[in-house]
Amino acid sequence: GENVEQHPSTLSVQEGDSAVIKCTYSDSASNYFPWYKQELGKRPQLIIDIRSNVGEKKDQRIAVTLNKTAKHFSLHITETQPEDSAVYFCAPLEEDKIIFGKGTRLHILP
Amino acid sequence: EAQVTQNPRYLITVTGKKLTVTCSQNMNHEYMSWYRQDPGLGLRQIYYSMNVEVTDKGDVPEGYKVSRKEKRNFPLILESPSPNQTSLYFCASGDSGTPYEQYFGPGTRLTVT
């Protein structure tokens, strides 16, 4: 089955700095690579995704980059703000199954 | 309002007493799925359904059943709950065009004593 790992498990960054979270996967057939954000006590919500025919996608302060050869994709958040504090999950697709990483807790320090 | 609903939101029950958690979506999505969330383990997929009458096992299906008789509903059944099924459960759905973009319900916190 799919082996999905996220790094780091916890990340603290100063407000205004950038944050990068990496997700590695094992299934070379994976073709959909999303990132979800879960605030405390709330449901996960999709924040950005990328498909295997694209190397990078950007939406305002967030971006996702994909390296299919190395089997990893990363979430980039620039100019971090307090509301970026949350747990972030990658969830690459294996056939029709969605495999979530264990999550990265991001703390934005004032 | 487009949404995924789950009921109940909170449930405390005893070992062995059958229970059902309902899930309904009003977005005409074909893909529906159940996850459990446990500290340190992230979200793990229990079952998913690509369409009516089509269900498949996810990563942790043991001890659970599902059915998909109608497009909008995807109930999760625990025939004989055990304490290791104490968890936070999320239902989710996805559009046929982008089925893997998951819209999550509010969650059901289940405690089995």
Side-chain angles (χ1 to χ4, degrees):
Chain A
E2 178 78 271
N3 184 25
V4 176
E5 293 189 2
Q6 269 183 247
H7 295 281
S9 56
T10 306
L11 178 60
S12 296
V13 301
Q14 212 71 38
E15 183 179 344
D17 288 351
S18 296
V20 181
I21 303 169
K22 185 175 178 179
C23 181
T24 61
Y25 60 95
S26 58
D27 185 3
S28 56
S30 293
N31 59 9
Y32 177 67
F33 308 93
W35 285 96
Y36 288 83
K37 175 184 180 182
Q38 187 177 28
E39 297 176 30
L40 189 62
K42 296 192 177 179
R43 70 193 80 183
Q45 288 191 298
L46 180 78
I47 55 171
I48 196 165
D49 58 11
I50 196 168
R51 297 182 190 274
S52 58
N53 57 345
V54 178
E56 182 175 358
K57 182 178 178 181
K58 194 172 181 181
D59 182 3
Q60 299 182 348
R61 295 187 299 107
I62 60 172
V64 54
T65 57
L66 172 63
N67 184 329
K68 280 216 81 179
T69 303
K71 291 192 242 178
H72 65 73
F73 62 111
S74 298
L75 175 68
H76 305 254
I77 306 174
T78 59
E79 300 171 25
T80 52
Q81 299 171 5
E83 53 265 35
D84 296 329
S85 291
V87 179
Y88 292 83
F89 295 96
C90 63
L93 185 68
E94 175 186 306
E95 297 182 353
D96 297 321
K97 291 184 187 179
I98 299 172
I99 311 295
F100 278 77
K102 290 182 169 55
T104 296
R105 186 172 297 278
L106 176 62
H107 299 276
I108 306 301
L109 306 173
Chain B
E1 180 191 351
Q3 59 182 347
V4 179
T5 57
Q6 294 178 228
N7 281 293
R9 295 289 314 279
Y10 303 90
L11 179 60
I12 301 174
T13 189
V14 297
T15 299
K17 186 175 181 183
K18 181 179 178 180
L19 66 92
T20 299
V21 184
T22 64
C23 173
S24 184
Q25 50 93 4
N26 63 1
M27 296 171 278
N28 202 35
H29 285 171
E30 293 182 351
Y31 190 100
M32 295 189 74
S33 186
W34 276 102
Y35 300 87
R36 60 178 290 173
Q37 185 171 31
D38 303 289
L41 296 178
L43 291 119
R44 292 179 292 168
Q45 195 174 41
I46 302 170
Y47 270 95
Y48 63 97
S49 169
M50 296 293 290
N51 213 328
V52 175
E53 301 293 359
V54 180
T55 62
D56 281 292
K57 295 177 181 178
D59 258 6
V60 288
E62 294 78 20
Y64 304 94
K65 284 175 57 177
V66 293
S67 68
R68 187 90 182 274
K69 293 184 171 54
E70 305 166 283
K71 197 171 188 179
R72 62 183 293 127
N73 295 324
F74 191 45
L76 179 70
I77 303 155
L78 285 71
E79 295 268 5
S80 182
S82 62
N84 64 12
Q85 293 179 298
T86 292
S87 188
L88 177 60
Y89 290 87
F90 286 101
C91 179
S93 69
D95 183 78
S96 58
T98 54
Y100 311 112
E101 177 182 338
Q102 301 282 272
Y103 293 85
F104 284 84
T108 295
R109 187 164 293 282
L110 172 66
T111 302
V112 184
T113 61

mmCIF file of all heavy atoms in Angstrom, chain B residues 54-96:
data_model
loop_
_atom_site.group_PDB
_atom_site.id
_atom_site.type_symbol
_atom_site.label_atom_id
_atom_site.label_comp_id
_atom_site.label_asym_id
_atom_site.label_seq_id
_atom_site.Cartn_x
_atom_site.Cartn_y
_atom_site.Cartn_z
ATOM 1 N N VAL B 54 -21.709 0.880 -5.083
ATOM 2 C CA VAL B 54 -20.289 0.566 -5.264
ATOM 3 C C VAL B 54 -19.522 1.047 -4.039
ATOM 4 O O VAL B 54 -19.427 2.256 -3.795
ATOM 5 C CB VAL B 54 -19.709 1.236 -6.520
ATOM 6 C CG1 VAL B 54 -18.221 0.885 -6.664
ATOM 7 C CG2 VAL B 54 -20.473 0.823 -7.766
ATOM 8 N N THR B 55 -19.009 0.086 -3.251
ATOM 9 C CA THR B 55 -18.220 0.458 -2.082
ATOM 10 C C THR B 55 -16.919 -0.340 -2.074
ATOM 11 O O THR B 55 -16.876 -1.471 -2.571
ATOM 12 C CB THR B 55 -18.980 0.208 -0.768
ATOM 13 O OG1 THR B 55 -19.250 -1.187 -0.643
ATOM 14 C CG2 THR B 55 -20.283 0.998 -0.730
ATOM 15 N N ASP B 56 -15.880 0.238 -1.489
ATOM 16 C CA ASP B 56 -14.580 -0.422 -1.413
ATOM 17 C C ASP B 56 -13.910 -0.123 -0.091
ATOM 18 O O ASP B 56 -14.160 0.926 0.525
ATOM 19 C CB ASP B 56 -13.661 0.039 -2.553
ATOM 20 C CG ASP B 56 -13.974 -0.647 -3.852
ATOM 21 O OD1 ASP B 56 -13.749 -1.869 -3.947
ATOM 22 O OD2 ASP B 56 -14.460 0.041 -4.772
ATOM 23 N N LYS B 57 -13.057 -1.057 0.316
ATOM 24 C CA LYS B 57 -12.350 -0.895 1.576
ATOM 25 C C LYS B 57 -11.237 0.140 1.442
ATOM 26 O O LYS B 57 -10.539 0.191 0.439
ATOM 27 C CB LYS B 57 -11.731 -2.226 2.012
ATOM 28 C CG LYS B 57 -12.747 -3.303 2.327
ATOM 29 C CD LYS B 57 -12.058 -4.609 2.678
ATOM 30 C CE LYS B 57 -13.088 -5.694 2.966
ATOM 31 N NZ LYS B 57 -12.452 -6.993 3.277
ATOM 32 N N GLY B 58 -11.101 0.930 2.504
ATOM 33 C CA GLY B 58 -9.960 1.824 2.597
ATOM 34 C C GLY B 58 -8.839 1.146 3.368
ATOM 35 O O GLY B 58 -8.661 -0.069 3.270
ATOM 36 N N ASP B 59 -8.145 1.919 4.159
ATOM 37 C CA ASP B 59 -6.995 1.384 4.892
ATOM 38 C C ASP B 59 -7.357 0.627 6.162
ATOM 39 O O ASP B 59 -6.641 -0.278 6.577
ATOM 40 C CB ASP B 59 -6.066 2.542 5.267
ATOM 41 C CG ASP B 59 -4.874 2.606 4.352
ATOM 42 O OD1 ASP B 59 -4.824 1.836 3.373
ATOM 43 O OD2 ASP B 59 -3.968 3.414 4.622
ATOM 44 N N VAL B 60 -8.457 1.021 6.816
ATOM 45 C CA VAL B 60 -8.814 0.433 8.111
ATOM 46 C C VAL B 60 -10.283 0.029 8.159
ATOM 47 O O VAL B 60 -11.062 0.539 8.957
ATOM 48 C CB VAL B 60 -8.472 1.400 9.269
ATOM 49 C CG1 VAL B 60 -6.983 1.493 9.476
ATOM 50 C CG2 VAL B 60 -9.081 2.780 9.019
ATOM 51 N N PRO B 61 -10.721 -0.940 7.336
ATOM 52 C CA PRO B 61 -12.146 -1.281 7.256
ATOM 53 C C PRO B 61 -12.643 -2.233 8.347
ATOM 54 O O PRO B 61 -13.859 -2.380 8.529
ATOM 55 C CB PRO B 61 -12.236 -1.967 5.899
ATOM 56 C CG PRO B 61 -10.896 -2.628 5.738
ATOM 57 C CD PRO B 61 -9.910 -1.685 6.382
ATOM 58 N N GLU B 62 -11.719 -2.869 9.075
ATOM 59 C CA GLU B 62 -12.135 -3.918 10.009
ATOM 60 C C GLU B 62 -13.060 -3.349 11.089
ATOM 61 O O GLU B 62 -12.743 -2.358 11.743
ATOM 62 C CB GLU B 62 -10.907 -4.571 10.668
ATOM 63 C CG GLU B 62 -10.014 -5.336 9.705
ATOM 64 C CD GLU B 62 -9.119 -4.410 8.890
ATOM 65 O OE1 GLU B 62 -8.908 -3.253 9.326
ATOM 66 O OE2 GLU B 62 -8.636 -4.852 7.832
ATOM 67 N N GLY B 63 -14.186 -4.028 11.315
ATOM 68 C CA GLY B 63 -15.124 -3.619 12.345
ATOM 69 C C GLY B 63 -16.184 -2.631 11.875
ATOM 70 O O GLY B 63 -17.013 -2.194 12.671
ATOM 71 N N TYR B 64 -16.145 -2.269 10.593
ATOM 72 C CA TYR B 64 -17.080 -1.291 10.044
ATOM 73 C C TYR B 64 -17.813 -1.879 8.829
ATOM 74 O O TYR B 64 -17.295 -2.743 8.140
ATOM 75 C CB TYR B 64 -16.357 -0.021 9.598
ATOM 76 C CG TYR B 64 -15.527 0.634 10.671
ATOM 77 C CD1 TYR B 64 -14.162 0.357 10.796
ATOM 78 C CD2 TYR B 64 -16.100 1.539 11.560
ATOM 79 C CE1 TYR B 64 -13.393 0.962 11.775
ATOM 80 C CE2 TYR B 64 -15.336 2.143 12.540
ATOM 81 C CZ TYR B 64 -13.986 1.852 12.642
ATOM 82 O OH TYR B 64 -13.233 2.449 13.621
ATOM 83 N N LYS B 65 -19.008 -1.370 8.590
ATOM 84 C CA LYS B 65 -19.751 -1.651 7.374
ATOM 85 C C LYS B 65 -20.298 -0.351 6.839
ATOM 86 O O LYS B 65 -20.518 0.603 7.593
ATOM 87 C CB LYS B 65 -20.928 -2.613 7.662
ATOM 88 C CG LYS B 65 -20.535 -4.052 7.852
ATOM 89 C CD LYS B 65 -21.744 -4.901 8.247
ATOM 90 C CE LYS B 65 -22.864 -4.828 7.246
ATOM 91 N NZ LYS B 65 -24.016 -5.711 7.612
ATOM 92 N N VAL B 66 -20.534 -0.334 5.522
ATOM 93 C CA VAL B 66 -21.158 0.832 4.894
ATOM 94 C C VAL B 66 -22.164 0.348 3.871
ATOM 95 O O VAL B 66 -22.173 -0.825 3.491
ATOM 96 C CB VAL B 66 -20.119 1.746 4.186
ATOM 97 C CG1 VAL B 66 -19.192 2.406 5.191
ATOM 98 C CG2 VAL B 66 -19.340 0.969 3.137
ATOM 99 N N SER B 67 -23.012 1.256 3.439
ATOM 100 C CA SER B 67 -23.905 0.964 2.323
ATOM 101 C C SER B 67 -24.109 2.240 1.525
ATOM 102 O O SER B 67 -23.993 3.344 2.063
ATOM 103 C CB SER B 67 -25.236 0.410 2.818
ATOM 104 O OG SER B 67 -25.972 1.412 3.503
ATOM 105 N N ARG B 68 -24.417 2.092 0.250
ATOM 106 C CA ARG B 68 -24.663 3.269 -0.607
ATOM 107 C C ARG B 68 -25.863 2.948 -1.503
ATOM 108 O O ARG B 68 -25.744 2.629 -2.671
ATOM 109 C CB ARG B 68 -23.424 3.569 -1.455
ATOM 110 C CG ARG B 68 -23.546 4.878 -2.235
ATOM 111 C CD ARG B 68 -23.034 6.045 -1.465
ATOM 112 N NE ARG B 68 -23.186 7.310 -2.160
ATOM 113 C CZ ARG B 68 -22.308 7.797 -3.047
ATOM 114 N NH1 ARG B 68 -21.229 7.084 -3.369
ATOM 115 N NH2 ARG B 68 -22.503 8.976 -3.590
ATOM 116 N N LYS B 69 -27.026 3.069 -0.891
ATOM 117 C CA LYS B 69 -28.264 2.770 -1.622
ATOM 118 C C LYS B 69 -28.762 3.988 -2.397
ATOM 119 O O LYS B 69 -29.498 3.859 -3.379
ATOM 120 C CB LYS B 69 -29.335 2.268 -0.665
ATOM 121 C CG LYS B 69 -29.007 0.902 -0.048
ATOM 122 C CD LYS B 69 -30.143 0.410 0.812
ATOM 123 C CE LYS B 69 -29.949 -1.024 1.263
ATOM 124 N NZ LYS B 69 -28.676 -1.257 1.937
ATOM 125 N N GLU B 70 -28.407 5.155 -1.905
ATOM 126 C CA GLU B 70 -28.785 6.400 -2.583
ATOM 127 C C GLU B 70 -27.524 7.234 -2.753
ATOM 128 O O GLU B 70 -26.587 7.121 -1.965
ATOM 129 C CB GLU B 70 -29.777 7.197 -1.742
ATOM 130 C CG GLU B 70 -31.023 6.474 -1.339
ATOM 131 C CD GLU B 70 -31.730 7.253 -0.236
ATOM 132 O OE1 GLU B 70 -31.265 7.184 0.914
ATOM 133 O OE2 GLU B 70 -32.718 7.933 -0.536
ATOM 134 N N LYS B 71 -27.531 8.090 -3.744
ATOM 135 C CA LYS B 71 -26.350 8.891 -4.029
ATOM 136 C C LYS B 71 -25.995 9.810 -2.870
ATOM 137 O O LYS B 71 -24.831 10.041 -2.568
ATOM 138 C CB LYS B 71 -26.596 9.718 -5.289
ATOM 139 C CG LYS B 71 -25.334 10.277 -5.912
ATOM 140 C CD LYS B 71 -25.672 10.881 -7.258
ATOM 141 C CE LYS B 71 -24.422 11.283 -8.001
ATOM 142 N NZ LYS B 71 -24.736 11.867 -9.333
ATOM 143 N N ARG B 72 -26.988 10.368 -2.199
ATOM 144 C CA ARG B 72 -26.726 11.398 -1.200
ATOM 145 C C ARG B 72 -26.325 10.839 0.167
ATOM 146 O O ARG B 72 -25.777 11.560 0.976
ATOM 147 C CB ARG B 72 -27.948 12.300 -1.057
ATOM 148 C CG ARG B 72 -29.204 11.601 -0.572
ATOM 149 C CD ARG B 72 -30.378 12.559 -0.520
ATOM 150 N NE ARG B 72 -30.184 13.574 0.507
ATOM 151 C CZ ARG B 72 -30.281 14.880 0.281
ATOM 152 N NH1 ARG B 72 -30.573 15.336 -0.932
ATOM 153 N NH2 ARG B 72 -30.096 15.740 1.240
ATOM 154 N N ASN B 73 -26.605 9.551 0.445
ATOM 155 C CA ASN B 73 -26.389 9.010 1.793
ATOM 156 C C ASN B 73 -25.328 7.914 1.819
ATOM 157 O O ASN B 73 -25.274 7.066 0.912
ATOM 158 C CB ASN B 73 -27.701 8.443 2.340
ATOM 159 C CG ASN B 73 -28.753 9.516 2.530
ATOM 160 O OD1 ASN B 73 -28.438 10.644 2.904
ATOM 161 N ND2 ASN B 73 -30.003 9.174 2.256
ATOM 162 N N PHE B 74 -24.555 7.922 2.887
ATOM 163 C CA PHE B 74 -23.478 6.924 3.023
ATOM 164 C C PHE B 74 -23.295 6.627 4.515
ATOM 165 O O PHE B 74 -22.364 7.107 5.147
ATOM 166 C CB PHE B 74 -22.187 7.479 2.402
ATOM 167 C CG PHE B 74 -21.084 6.469 2.234
ATOM 168 C CD1 PHE B 74 -21.329 5.204 1.729
ATOM 169 C CD2 PHE B 74 -19.772 6.814 2.549
ATOM 170 C CE1 PHE B 74 -20.298 4.292 1.553
ATOM 171 C CE2 PHE B 74 -18.735 5.903 2.376
ATOM 172 C CZ PHE B 74 -19.003 4.650 1.886
ATOM 173 N N PRO B 75 -24.173 5.819 5.101
ATOM 174 C CA PRO B 75 -24.084 5.549 6.537
ATOM 175 C C PRO B 75 -22.923 4.621 6.898
ATOM 176 O O PRO B 75 -22.555 3.730 6.122
ATOM 177 C CB PRO B 75 -25.431 4.892 6.847
ATOM 178 C CG PRO B 75 -25.861 4.282 5.537
ATOM 179 C CD PRO B 75 -25.341 5.184 4.463
ATOM 180 N N LEU B 76 -22.388 4.850 8.078
ATOM 181 C CA LEU B 76 -21.312 4.013 8.643
ATOM 182 C C LEU B 76 -21.923 3.192 9.776
ATOM 183 O O LEU B 76 -22.530 3.749 10.683
ATOM 184 C CB LEU B 76 -20.184 4.880 9.171
ATOM 185 C CG LEU B 76 -19.005 4.134 9.800
ATOM 186 C CD1 LEU B 76 -18.201 3.386 8.733
ATOM 187 C CD2 LEU B 76 -18.100 5.115 10.554
ATOM 188 N N ILE B 77 -21.749 1.877 9.709
ATOM 189 C CA ILE B 77 -22.361 0.968 10.671
ATOM 190 C C ILE B 77 -21.275 0.262 11.472
ATOM 191 O O ILE B 77 -20.335 -0.297 10.894
ATOM 192 C CB ILE B 77 -23.236 -0.073 9.941
ATOM 193 C CG1 ILE B 77 -24.299 0.635 9.092
ATOM 194 C CG2 ILE B 77 -23.887 -1.031 10.946
ATOM 195 C CD1 ILE B 77 -24.788 -0.178 7.936
ATOM 196 N N LEU B 78 -21.427 0.301 12.795
ATOM 197 C CA LEU B 78 -20.565 -0.480 13.677
ATOM 198 C C LEU B 78 -21.446 -1.550 14.302
ATOM 199 O O LEU B 78 -22.278 -1.263 15.160
ATOM 200 C CB LEU B 78 -19.925 0.401 14.749
ATOM 201 C CG LEU B 78 -18.774 1.315 14.304
ATOM 202 C CD1 LEU B 78 -19.252 2.474 13.444
ATOM 203 C CD2 LEU B 78 -17.992 1.823 15.513
ATOM 204 N N GLU B 79 -21.301 -2.791 13.845
ATOM 205 C CA GLU B 79 -22.181 -3.870 14.276
ATOM 206 C C GLU B 79 -21.950 -4.210 15.751
ATOM 207 O O GLU B 79 -22.887 -4.465 16.499
ATOM 208 C CB GLU B 79 -21.938 -5.117 13.420
ATOM 209 C CG GLU B 79 -22.309 -4.953 11.966
ATOM 210 C CD GLU B 79 -23.744 -5.392 11.673
ATOM 211 O OE1 GLU B 79 -24.470 -5.726 12.632
ATOM 212 O OE2 GLU B 79 -24.130 -5.401 10.491
ATOM 213 N N SER B 80 -20.699 -4.222 16.158
ATOM 214 C CA SER B 80 -20.364 -4.559 17.538
ATOM 215 C C SER B 80 -19.184 -3.688 17.974
ATOM 216 O O SER B 80 -18.029 -4.131 17.959
ATOM 217 C CB SER B 80 -20.010 -6.056 17.648
ATOM 218 O OG SER B 80 -19.739 -6.398 18.999
ATOM 219 N N PRO B 81 -19.480 -2.449 18.352
ATOM 220 C CA PRO B 81 -18.391 -1.509 18.647
ATOM 221 C C PRO B 81 -17.498 -1.989 19.783
ATOM 222 O O PRO B 81 -17.970 -2.636 20.747
ATOM 223 C CB PRO B 81 -19.132 -0.230 19.044
ATOM 224 C CG PRO B 81 -20.501 -0.381 18.500
ATOM 225 C CD PRO B 81 -20.800 -1.847 18.500
ATOM 226 N N SER B 82 -16.220 -1.637 19.675
ATOM 227 C CA SER B 82 -15.263 -1.957 20.724
ATOM 228 C C SER B 82 -14.524 -0.675 21.110
ATOM 229 O O SER B 82 -14.526 0.300 20.354
ATOM 230 C CB SER B 82 -14.272 -3.014 20.234
ATOM 231 O OG SER B 82 -13.532 -2.512 19.149
ATOM 232 N N PRO B 83 -13.901 -0.656 22.286
ATOM 233 C CA PRO B 83 -13.225 0.568 22.748
ATOM 234 C C PRO B 83 -12.172 1.098 21.775
ATOM 235 O O PRO B 83 -11.950 2.312 21.718
ATOM 236 C CB PRO B 83 -12.596 0.127 24.079
ATOM 237 C CG PRO B 83 -13.536 -0.915 24.598
ATOM 238 C CD PRO B 83 -13.971 -1.682 23.374
ATOM 239 N N ASN B 84 -11.539 0.238 20.978
ATOM 240 C CA ASN B 84 -10.530 0.737 20.040
ATOM 241 C C ASN B 84 -11.148 1.464 18.844
ATOM 242 O O ASN B 84 -10.433 1.964 17.968
ATOM 243 C CB ASN B 84 -9.574 -0.374 19.586
ATOM 244 C CG ASN B 84 -10.268 -1.462 18.808
ATOM 245 O OD1 ASN B 84 -11.414 -1.325 18.406
ATOM 246 N ND2 ASN B 84 -9.560 -2.553 18.573
ATOM 247 N N GLN B 85 -12.466 1.528 18.804
ATOM 248 C CA GLN B 85 -13.144 2.312 17.772
ATOM 249 C C GLN B 85 -13.542 3.701 18.289
ATOM 250 O O GLN B 85 -14.175 4.478 17.562
ATOM 251 C CB GLN B 85 -14.368 1.561 17.241
ATOM 252 C CG GLN B 85 -13.967 0.312 16.468
ATOM 253 C CD GLN B 85 -15.146 -0.467 15.945
ATOM 254 O OE1 GLN B 85 -15.970 -0.962 16.724
ATOM 255 N NE2 GLN B 85 -15.236 -0.586 14.630
ATOM 256 N N THR B 86 -13.147 3.993 19.514
ATOM 257 C CA THR B 86 -13.296 5.354 20.025
ATOM 258 C C THR B 86 -12.426 6.269 19.181
ATOM 259 O O THR B 86 -11.216 6.063 19.061
ATOM 260 C CB THR B 86 -12.857 5.413 21.504
ATOM 261 O OG1 THR B 86 -13.789 4.670 22.289
ATOM 262 C CG2 THR B 86 -12.801 6.852 21.998
ATOM 263 N N SER B 87 -13.056 7.271 18.568
ATOM 264 C CA SER B 87 -12.321 8.103 17.619
ATOM 265 C C SER B 87 -13.204 9.259 17.165
ATOM 266 O O SER B 87 -14.376 9.359 17.536
ATOM 267 C CB SER B 87 -11.914 7.260 16.406
ATOM 268 O OG SER B 87 -11.050 7.977 15.540
ATOM 269 N N LEU B 88 -12.609 10.129 16.352
ATOM 270 C CA LEU B 88 -13.344 11.188 15.671
ATOM 271 C C LEU B 88 -13.533 10.742 14.233
ATOM 272 O O LEU B 88 -12.561 10.434 13.536
ATOM 273 C CB LEU B 88 -12.557 12.494 15.740
ATOM 274 C CG LEU B 88 -13.149 13.708 15.021
ATOM 275 C CD1 LEU B 88 -14.526 14.056 15.576
ATOM 276 C CD2 LEU B 88 -12.204 14.912 15.153
ATOM 277 N N TYR B 89 -14.792 10.699 13.791
ATOM 278 C CA TYR B 89 -15.099 10.191 12.457
ATOM 279 C C TYR B 89 -15.560 11.334 11.553
ATOM 280 O O TYR B 89 -16.371 12.165 11.936
ATOM 281 C CB TYR B 89 -16.209 9.136 12.548
ATOM 282 C CG TYR B 89 -15.756 7.859 13.200
ATOM 283 C CD1 TYR B 89 -15.809 7.721 14.582
ATOM 284 C CD2 TYR B 89 -15.257 6.805 12.448
ATOM 285 C CE1 TYR B 89 -15.366 6.556 15.197
ATOM 286 C CE2 TYR B 89 -14.813 5.636 13.047
ATOM 287 C CZ TYR B 89 -14.869 5.524 14.424
ATOM 288 O OH TYR B 89 -14.422 4.371 15.026
ATOM 289 N N PHE B 90 -15.015 11.323 10.340
ATOM 290 C CA PHE B 90 -15.414 12.305 9.340
ATOM 291 C C PHE B 90 -15.950 11.595 8.112
ATOM 292 O O PHE B 90 -15.359 10.643 7.609
ATOM 293 C CB PHE B 90 -14.229 13.165 8.897
ATOM 294 C CG PHE B 90 -13.796 14.189 9.897
ATOM 295 C CD1 PHE B 90 -12.689 13.964 10.697
ATOM 296 C CD2 PHE B 90 -14.495 15.381 10.033
ATOM 297 C CE1 PHE B 90 -12.279 14.914 11.628
ATOM 298 C CE2 PHE B 90 -14.085 16.339 10.955
ATOM 299 C CZ PHE B 90 -12.983 16.097 11.757
ATOM 300 N N CYS B 91 -17.075 12.105 7.613
ATOM 301 C CA CYS B 91 -17.579 11.719 6.312
ATOM 302 C C CYS B 91 -17.147 12.789 5.320
ATOM 303 O O CYS B 91 -16.991 13.965 5.691
ATOM 304 C CB CYS B 91 -19.103 11.634 6.365
ATOM 305 S SG CYS B 91 -19.886 11.204 4.810
ATOM 306 N N ALA B 92 -16.935 12.409 4.068
ATOM 307 C CA ALA B 92 -16.537 13.374 3.054
ATOM 308 C C ALA B 92 -17.132 12.964 1.716
ATOM 309 O O ALA B 92 -17.459 11.791 1.494
ATOM 310 C CB ALA B 92 -15.014 13.460 2.955
ATOM 311 N N SER B 93 -17.271 13.944 0.830
ATOM 312 C CA SER B 93 -17.755 13.648 -0.519
ATOM 313 C C SER B 93 -16.927 14.409 -1.537
ATOM 314 O O SER B 93 -16.236 15.375 -1.187
ATOM 315 C CB SER B 93 -19.238 13.998 -0.665
ATOM 316 O OG SER B 93 -19.438 15.391 -0.618
ATOM 317 N N GLY B 94 -16.995 13.967 -2.790
ATOM 318 C CA GLY B 94 -16.237 14.595 -3.867
ATOM 319 C C GLY B 94 -17.007 14.562 -5.164
ATOM 320 O O GLY B 94 -17.737 13.615 -5.450
ATOM 321 N N ASP B 95 -16.844 15.610 -5.966
ATOM 322 C CA ASP B 95 -17.542 15.744 -7.239
ATOM 323 C C ASP B 95 -17.003 14.754 -8.259
ATOM 324 O O ASP B 95 -15.827 14.402 -8.214
ATOM 325 C CB ASP B 95 -17.347 17.186 -7.745
ATOM 326 C CG ASP B 95 -18.105 17.436 -9.018
ATOM 327 O OD1 ASP B 95 -19.321 17.631 -8.920
ATOM 328 O OD2 ASP B 95 -17.485 17.417 -10.092
ATOM 329 N N SER B 96 -17.832 14.341 -9.214
ATOM 330 C CA SER B 96 -17.403 13.371 -10.220
ATOM 331 C C SER B 96 -16.278 13.921 -11.094
ATOM 332 O O SER B 96 -15.443 13.178 -11.577
ATOM 333 C CB SER B 96 -18.578 12.965 -11.102
ATOM 334 O OG SER B 96 -19.133 14.097 -11.734
#
